[in-house]
Amino acid sequence: QVQLVESGGGLVQAGGSLRLSCAASGRTFSSYTMGWFRQAPGKEREFVSAIRWSGDSPYYADAVKGRFTISRDNAKNTVYLQMNSLKPEDTAVYYCAATRYWGTVVLTTTKYDYWGQGTQVTVSS
């Protein structure tokens, strides 16, 4: 069992930055691929980024590539999402999630076993 708790959301002006954190419980955190998803009002939950246990070759959605950076600290059981050059269209609830899979399947919600409660990110224009 893995429990995930996100933090770091808030209100920021366009062009600003935020860093989201996701703290995980459990001794097997380092073996999980960690993903970030987001869901805007009236829209489906969409993939943002994912990172495997080793931290290399992360995936990014095209909409955030070059602006967001995912990282993880296995010693702290934490995954991060650094968000720069934020845009109003980045406004959403951001969720972290855990899966034992890697590969392009982690771009979809269906392969994730554990989810956090979400943290709100609002970008004003």
Side-chain angles (χ1 to χ4, degrees):
Q1 188 78 10
V2 176
Q3 292 185 325
L4 305 173
V5 179
E6 303 96 334
S7 61
L11 174 64
V12 64
Q13 288 188 333
S17 298
L18 284 173
R19 188 176 82 154
L20 304 184
S21 299
C22 174
S25 65
R27 294 175 292 176
T28 59
F29 170 79
S30 62
S31 66
Y32 282 88
T33 291
M34 300 300 296
W36 285 99
F37 290 77
R38 65 187 182 185
Q39 188 166 18
K43 295 188 176 181
E44 292 187 353
R45 193 168 298 189
E46 65 175 7
F47 172 79
V48 174
S49 184
I51 187 168
R52 60 180 170 176
W53 68 272
S54 60
D56 61 321
S57 304
Y59 288 114
Y60 294 99
D62 288 343
V64 307
K65 203 170 293 183
R67 299 188 298 122
F68 290 12
T69 302
I70 191 170
S71 62
R72 65 189 295 161
D73 186 336
N74 289 334
K76 295 183 178 180
N77 281 12
T78 302
V79 62
Y80 305 98
L81 186 68
Q82 178 67 44
M83 306 186 296
N84 298 329
S85 302
L86 283 161
K87 305 175 181 180
E89 51 263 45
D90 294 319
T91 295
V93 177
Y94 283 70
Y95 299 89
C96 71
T99 177
R100 292 197 178 273
Y101 290 91
W102 182 245
T104 55
V105 295
V106 304
L107 276 63
T108 62
T109 60
T110 57
K111 292 299 185 182
Y112 287 83
D113 300 309
Y114 304 102
W115 291 85
Q117 82 291 347
T119 185
Q120 176 71 46
V121 172
T122 303
V123 184
S124 64
S125 57

